[in-house]
């Protein structure tokens, strides 16, 4: 939604109640909450929601060189926009400066950060811009910094004339269009008299943000109900643009996308665009963020985040992102595990995973996420964490001491000295998964050790629809037990044994065994040995009944306890 929770919402109460009831009825029918050990690192203090992060690429400041991360967010008192920096990829953060609007006694909201990539008007490449809502939706202001965020000056008002909560101006997002002009997109409630409960529009500046042109409607429906908002705009390598946004006023505030050839013209404003959906029909609702990453495909990929993953058979809210290499946004989207899990309460809140921010590494191999997270004492804080960006090759030696990027279902998981362990002894098929459901033909390598006499454990490949339960996934299991190694297929509650083999020297507890598992089409190739030994057992199996040739990877126990290390995945 568009309005800060600590501001008056009386004018929107009926709408919010209706949306909340319908949305949570839908979500409750599907939500199964996974466990996730990695929880992110706190960014500053008193930061609450709308986190934003950028990486400097045009800096001339030796103390804040290219590669430095700059972040900001709303605060719990709504009086200022503090700015933080990180020089280690988001592992730790330091306070840098504060933007304090002179007329913000009623509160600020919805910060945006942008590094100008080229000369536009009077602004040179490397200038930082910070935009935000001022005074409970009364206006949107913009500030600039020529010293990489150390100091800030007011530039202009992008839009004015808001009338406060329920009739305000919200959630700016900045870009440079294909004409080299500065453009600001925002959510606008000023036109309710014309039947637009809320619309998405933009204004253009030809002089570097000193003055702004007339508003253009980008997504707007005058039915007194539909509320498009929270634009997140990305310029793609071919020069086109794609926008992600939520559309409230319909159950669940579903996330939509649409495209533009130049950043200015988005087609018929009454066209709500398309809903990004995974193959299982799941999609995001309520708040969104979109980025382009150079990894994941020959032209890179899009990565999408939303507060809730709806219509998902086995949950995934707060631990799932969606990706695609189809830049129209209308093709298939795939699930990938988020860098860390955000625990979202069953009741609505304005913190957990609310308008999260994503930032791929320069080569697209890893992904940083900033998100709101509720603390143990029910306060909101912004946390940051990074992990593999759902791309191959993948390698996790667990040297960070966390299971960043892994999502666990059941079990008692921990990381120590480069070893990932489950010590629950639950007998419920504890599992942990990582990666993307877009992964197709690949080879997984890793070591597994049984730590209970009656256990069997190993790896899972081509994983989709994981959940808590002994056979609760679709995919293949390659495990070891006292009799050697085995291959089986799980299909959401059913088990089929497909093959088995011996490991030279047998299998003992507290001994490491190395498994090499290749998946190519419907054929699986397995090699198993004691770690460090060249003597191995092998199995090649073609599953004529295979129904999926893509999926994540993971680890799994059956009934006891086990440990894993040195897990890697390479494309075939």
């Amino acid at each position: 939604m568009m309005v800060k929770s600590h501001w008056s919402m009386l004018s929107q109460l009926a709408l919010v109640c209706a949306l909340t009831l319908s949305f949570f009825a839908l979500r409750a029918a599907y939500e199964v909450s996974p466990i996730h050990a990695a929880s992110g690192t706190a960014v500053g203090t008193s930061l609450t929601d709308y986190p934003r992060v950028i990486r400097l690429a045009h800096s001339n400041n030796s103390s804040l060189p290219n590669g430095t991360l700059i972040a900001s967010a709303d605060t719990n008192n709504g009086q200022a926009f503090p700015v933080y920096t990180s020089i280690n990829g988001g592992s730790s953060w330091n306070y840098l400066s504060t933007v304090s609007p002179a007329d913000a006694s009623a509160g600020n909201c919805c910060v945006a950060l942008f590094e100008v990539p080229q000369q536009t008007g009077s602004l040179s490449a490397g200038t930082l811009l910070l935009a935000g809502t001022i005074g409970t939706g009364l206006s949107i202001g913009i500030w600039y910094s020529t010293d990489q965020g150390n100091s800030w000056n007011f530039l202009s008002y992008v839009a004015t004339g808001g009338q406060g909560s329920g009739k305000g101006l919200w959630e700016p997002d900045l870009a440079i269009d294909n004409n080299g002009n500065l453009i600001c997109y925002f959510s606008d409630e000023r036109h309710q008299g014309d039947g637009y409960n809320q619309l998405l529009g933009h204004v253009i500046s030809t002089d570097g943000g000193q003055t702004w042109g007339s508003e253009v409607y980008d997504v707007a429906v005058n039915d007194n109900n539909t509320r498009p908002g929270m634009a997140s705009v990305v310029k793609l390598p071919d020069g086109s643009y794609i926008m992600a946004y939520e559309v409230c006023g319909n159950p669940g505030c579903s996330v939509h996308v649409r495209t533009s050839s130049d950043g200015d013209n988005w087609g018929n404003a009454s066209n709500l665009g398309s809903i990004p959906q995974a193959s299982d029909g799941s999609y995001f609702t309520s708040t969104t963020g979109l980025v382009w990453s150079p990894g994941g495909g020959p032209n890179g990929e899009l990565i999408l985040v939303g507060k809730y993953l709806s219509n998902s058979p086995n949950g995934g809210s707060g631990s799932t992102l969606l990706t695609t290499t189809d830049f129209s946004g209308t093709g298939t989207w795939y699930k990938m595990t988020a860098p860390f899990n955000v625990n979202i309460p069953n009741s609505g809140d304005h913190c957990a995973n609310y308008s999260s921010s994503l930032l791929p590494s320069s080569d697209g191999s890893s992904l940083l996420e900033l998100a709101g997270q509720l603390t143990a004492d029910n306060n909101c804080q912004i946390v940051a964490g990074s992990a593999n960006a759902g791309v191959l090759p993948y390698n996790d030696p667990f040297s960070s001491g966390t299971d960043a990027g892994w999502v666990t279902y059941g079990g008692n998981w921990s990381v120590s000295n480069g070893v990932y362990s489950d010590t629950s002894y639950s007998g419920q098929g504890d599992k942990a998964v990582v990666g993307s459901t877009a992964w197709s033909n690949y080879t997984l390598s890793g070591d597994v050790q049984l730590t209970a006499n009656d256990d069997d454990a190993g790896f899972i490949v081509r994983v989709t629809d994981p959940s808590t339960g002994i056979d609760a996934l679709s995919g293949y299991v390659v495990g070891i037990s006292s009799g050697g190694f085995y291959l089986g297929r799980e299909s959401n509650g059913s088990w089929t044994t497909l093959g088995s083999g011996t490991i030279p020297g047998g299998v003992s507890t507290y001994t490491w065994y190395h498994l090499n598992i290749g998946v190519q089409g419907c054929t699986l190739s397995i090699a198993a040995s004691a770690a460090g030994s060249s003597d191995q057992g092998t199995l090649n199996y073609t599953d004529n009944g295979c129904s999926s040739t893509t999926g994540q990877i993971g680890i799994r126990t059956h009934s006891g306890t086990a440990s894993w290390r040195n897990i890697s995945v390479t494309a075939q």
Side-chain angles (χ1 to χ4, degrees):
M1 305 294 271
M2 307 305 128
V3 185
K4 297 280 282 184
S5 61
H6 54 273
W7 294 335
S8 171
M9 299 178 67
L10 294 178
S11 62
Q12 296 291 311
L13 184 58
L15 174 62
V16 171
C17 289
L19 291 175
T20 301
L21 289 172
S22 60
F23 170 72
F24 285 108
L26 173 66
R27 189 168 70 95
Y30 295 105
E31 190 68 30
V32 179
S33 297
I35 303 168
H36 202 308
S39 57
T41 301
V43 180
T45 58
S46 302
L47 301 183
T48 55
D49 49 15
Y50 292 100
R52 297 294 181 261
V53 60
I54 60 174
R55 179 182 295 107
L56 297 184
H58 305 277
S59 174
N60 57 6
N61 186 337
S62 60
S63 63
L64 292 170
N66 288 338
T68 300
L69 304 185
I70 306 291
S72 187
D74 294 4
T75 60
N76 56 13
N77 63 15
Q79 299 301 304
F81 297 117
V83 179
Y84 290 83
T85 67
S86 175
I87 59 173
N88 55 14
S91 296
S92 62
W93 297 85
N94 294 301
Y95 171 79
L96 181 64
S97 59
T98 295
V99 174
S100 300
D103 52 351
S105 59
N108 299 325
C109 173
C110 327
V111 66
L113 282 173
F114 185 67
E115 183 187 32
V116 176
Q118 64 189 67
Q119 185 79 33
T120 178
S122 60
L123 301 178
S124 59
T127 302
L128 297 190
L129 300 177
L130 184 150
T133 293
I134 304 172
T136 321
L138 300 181
S139 61
I140 291 175
I142 188 167
W143 293 259
Y144 71 97
S145 172
T146 57
D147 55 11
Q148 283 63 55
N150 280 287
S151 61
W152 298 86
N153 295 290
F154 184 72
L155 180 59
S156 65
Y157 288 102
V158 175
T160 59
Q163 300 178 41
S165 180
K167 293 186 178 181
L169 293 155
W170 314 98
E171 298 146 356
D173 195 44
L174 300 168
I176 299 292
D177 69 12
N178 275 349
N179 294 315
N181 296 319
L182 183 63
I183 186 167
C184 183
Y185 308 90
F186 53 91
S187 307
D188 191 345
E189 296 175 316
R190 295 175 300 177
H191 306 287
Q192 293 177 1
D194 296 324
Y196 298 97
N197 193 304
Q198 179 173 274
L199 61 84
L200 272 176
H202 75 262
V203 291
I204 296 172
S205 175
T206 60
D207 56 12
Q210 297 182 58
T211 61
W212 297 87
S214 300
E215 183 179 13
V216 177
Y217 294 0
D218 296 322
V219 189
V221 180
N222 60 341
D223 61 358
N224 293 303
N225 178 54
T226 304
R227 292 175 57 83
M230 291 194 171
S232 179
V233 178
V234 173
K235 186 173 184 179
L236 298 169
D238 64 359
S240 64
Y241 296 73
I242 185 167
M243 175 194 294
Y245 48 95
E246 67 175 15
V247 179
C248 295
N250 62 329
C253 294
S254 53
V255 171
H256 291 62
V257 295
R258 66 187 310 171
T259 58
S260 168
S261 61
D262 56 10
D264 300 332
N265 301 288
W266 295 88
N268 185 347
S270 64
N271 181 351
L272 293 179
S274 60
I275 298 177
Q277 286 186 291
S279 58
D280 63 1
S282 57
Y283 58 92
F284 283 130
T285 53
S286 185
T287 79
T288 189
L290 181 69
V291 293
W292 174 82
S293 170
N299 298 310
E301 67 179 346
L302 293 169
I303 308 177
L304 183 71
V305 63
K307 183 173 175 70
Y308 302 110
L309 186 67
S310 296
N311 200 40
S312 178
N314 296 312
S317 295
S319 61
T320 306
L321 306 175
L322 296 180
T323 71
T324 187
T325 56
D326 181 347
F327 293 162
S328 72
T330 60
T332 300
W333 291 73
Y334 296 91
K335 292 181 177 180
M336 65 169 277
T337 54
F340 58 93
N341 181 61
V342 179
N343 295 313
I344 302 175
N346 289 327
S347 58
D349 74 286
H350 210 286
C351 172
N353 209 31
Y354 191 92
S355 193
S356 299
S357 185
L358 304 174
L359 182 66
S361 61
S362 298
D363 63 359
S365 63
S366 64
L367 181 70
L368 175 73
E369 181 178 14
L370 268 65
Q373 178 79 283
L374 287 172
T375 63
D377 54 0
N378 211 37
N379 290 318
C380 189
Q381 69 176 13
I382 300 300
V383 295
S386 62
N388 177 275
V391 299
L392 297 176
Y394 172 86
N395 179 56
D396 197 339
F398 300 106
S399 57
S400 67
T402 73
D403 62 348
W406 289 79
V407 178
T408 63
Y409 299 85
N412 182 24
W413 300 85
S414 62
V415 175
S416 178
N417 298 320
V419 175
Y420 196 20
S421 300
D422 175 26
T423 58
S424 72
Y425 223 119
S426 72
Q428 293 300 309
D430 302 340
K431 62 188 71 70
V433 300
V434 73
S436 170
T437 59
W439 290 358
S440 179
N441 299 318
Y442 53 80
T443 298
L444 182 155
S445 297
D447 298 337
V448 58
Q449 178 189 84
L450 304 181
T451 54
N453 289 326
D454 56 350
D455 191 21
D456 62 85
F459 296 92
I460 46 181
V461 294
R462 294 274 175 81
V463 180
T464 59
D465 301 326
S467 185
T468 303
I470 197 160
D471 291 319
L473 64 89
S474 291
Y476 297 94
V477 179
V478 179
I480 62 171
S481 65
S482 58
F485 71 90
Y486 62 88
L487 168 66
R489 182 177 63 235
E490 290 183 311
S491 182
N492 285 321
S494 66
W495 168 266
T496 303
T497 299
L498 301 178
S500 62
T502 59
I503 298 177
V507 175
S508 304
T509 56
Y510 297 101
T511 300
W512 287 105
Y513 295 91
H514 183 75
L515 294 179
N516 200 70
I517 307 160
V519 286
Q520 178 80 34
C522 291
T523 298
L524 293 91
S525 302
I526 302 165
S529 65
S533 173
S534 59
D535 294 330
Q536 58 186 20
T538 61
L539 173 68
N540 292 312
Y541 183 86
T542 298
D543 182 14
N544 294 321
C546 83
S547 58
S548 176
T549 56
T550 64
Q552 298 165 305
I553 65 101
I555 55 181
R556 172 190 177 272
T557 65
H558 180 258
S559 58
T561 61
S563 297
W564 296 261
R565 67 182 186 184
N566 301 328
I567 298 173
S568 65
V569 187
T570 55
Q572 289 192 7

